[in-house]
Amino acid sequence: MALVKITTSEAAFDGHDPARIAAVLGGLTCAAEGFGDSAIAPELTWVLFEQLPATAFLKATGLPRKPHYYVEVSTLRGALTEDAKLDLGARITRELMAVEGCAPTDENTQRTWVRFIDIADGDLVVGGQATSLATLRALIASVGQGKETPVDHAIITDPATFAGAFDQALNAGDLDRLHSLYDPDATMRTSDGSVVHGHEQVGQELKRLIAADARLENRTRHVFRQNDVVLIVVDYTLHITTPDGQRVDTQGTATNVLRHTSGLGWRMIIANPPGIA
């Protein structure tokens, strides 16, 4: 049970789906509280967007050139350890940088401040009744653990379905959904053999694919899992339009690595479309 409040400029999330952002940040918070596998915890986690006019979000030195983010995470006292707060703050910062499409450098991450607020037992009234961490844990236990439910259509709970979800996102030209299938720290080997790293560079490659009117048909051959890491081997046929207007078909076998994060599902950490070529 948490409230994540994001205060930023009104243009910071232009072109992005707030529901997806809320699902990701809410999932991170649930996982940090230890409720990542709960079916009901996401329903008790609220994400509030407070977007202000650019001139209302100032620093002492004047108007910032890039968006700044002030995030408050309010949870019941004891729900988050000090280490969990530190980790969650870092993850929220990286996700906001990923949404913005910039690398999580020191200069960029310093534009995000995350403040944690502990709510004492009895200081939060829900449905007309005072609540506590013990009450919350009892409620979640009564619903049952181990029922991982997708918070958003882009969250993959079964790695065997990843290739199909990737097909759907690419073929629909849905850049946000496609990009959400990649870990912010992902590495991609491109068709020409070059290697790109991180959210921004991977995003540029995805934009080029969509601009080429790409159509993809994936057929999963193997799924090899070891705990939170999966290697998937996929046969594919890719149809693209070249800059001179020619339609080109290519076929191959990709070897990709997925990583599972509680509350966020399976996301690509290494994309290797050329496979062993």
Side-chain angles (χ1 to χ4, degrees):
M1 179 177 287
L3 171 64
V4 182
K5 179 181 178 182
I6 307 167
T7 303
T8 186
S9 58
E10 58 188 359
F13 298 134
D14 281 357
H16 295 281
D17 180 6
R20 193 194 74 79
I21 298 171
V24 171
L25 298 185
L28 287 172
T29 305
C30 288
E33 291 180 295
F35 304 139
D37 293 329
S38 168
I40 194 173
E43 294 290 338
L44 303 174
T45 302
W46 293 14
V47 180
L48 174 64
F49 294 91
E50 183 180 46
Q51 295 183 255
L52 306 174
T55 53
F57 206 103
L58 301 174
K59 299 173 68 174
T61 53
L63 187 67
R65 292 184 298 106
K66 295 182 178 181
H68 283 56
Y69 307 91
Y70 174 69
V71 183
E72 286 184 351
V73 181
S74 301
T75 58
L76 294 167
R77 182 170 293 164
L80 294 174
T81 66
E82 293 304 311
D83 285 345
K85 291 177 182 178
L86 181 60
D87 182 67
L88 178 58
R91 288 178 179 272
I92 288 174
T93 299
R94 288 198 298 270
E95 288 297 336
L96 290 175
M97 294 298 97
V99 169
E100 189 179 311
C102 67
T105 62
D106 288 344
E107 179 181 2
N108 285 328
T109 57
Q110 287 174 6
R111 293 189 281 110
T112 300
W113 290 13
V114 183
R115 179 190 180 199
F116 291 92
I117 299 174
D118 292 332
I119 304 172
D121 287 355
D123 282 355
L124 179 65
V125 176
V126 177
Q129 297 182 354
T131 191
S132 65
L133 182 59
T135 302
L136 173 63
R137 286 176 171 162
L139 172 63
I140 289 176
S142 70
V143 174
Q145 298 285 338
K147 299 177 182 178
E148 188 175 42
T149 302
V151 179
D152 176 78
H153 63 263
I155 294 179
I156 308 300
T157 58
D158 180 357
T161 68
F162 187 91
F166 192 96
D167 281 6
Q168 293 175 8
L170 178 59
N171 295 341
D174 188 339
L175 180 60
D176 274 352
R177 184 180 178 194
L178 187 64
H179 213 173
S180 74
L181 296 175
Y182 286 82
D183 189 277
D185 297 324
T187 294
M188 175 190 286
R189 182 179 175 219
T190 66
S191 57
D192 65 6
S194 60
V195 177
V196 298
H197 303 281
H199 191 270
E200 185 173 1
Q201 293 184 13
V202 169
Q204 291 301 318
E205 290 299 320
L206 298 178
K207 286 180 182 178
R208 279 191 274 272
L209 266 178
I210 290 175
D213 191 25
R215 293 294 181 271
L216 181 64
E217 300 165 16
N218 272 320
R219 296 169 299 281
T220 302
R221 187 192 297 185
H222 299 296
V223 177
F224 302 109
R225 178 174 179 175
Q226 175 61 34
N227 295 326
D228 290 338
V229 178
V230 160
L231 170 67
I232 57 173
V233 181
V234 179
D235 297 321
Y236 68 88
T237 300
L238 177 66
H239 315 271
I240 62 170
T241 301
T242 62
D244 61 1
Q246 298 296 312
R247 197 67 175 164
V248 176
D249 299 341
T250 58
Q251 295 181 333
T253 300
T255 53
N256 302 319
V257 178
L258 312 180
R259 181 168 65 190
H260 185 270
T261 302
S262 184
L264 296 176
W266 292 95
R267 298 193 292 182
M268 191 108 70
I269 187 66
I270 300 175
N272 182 32
I276 61 174

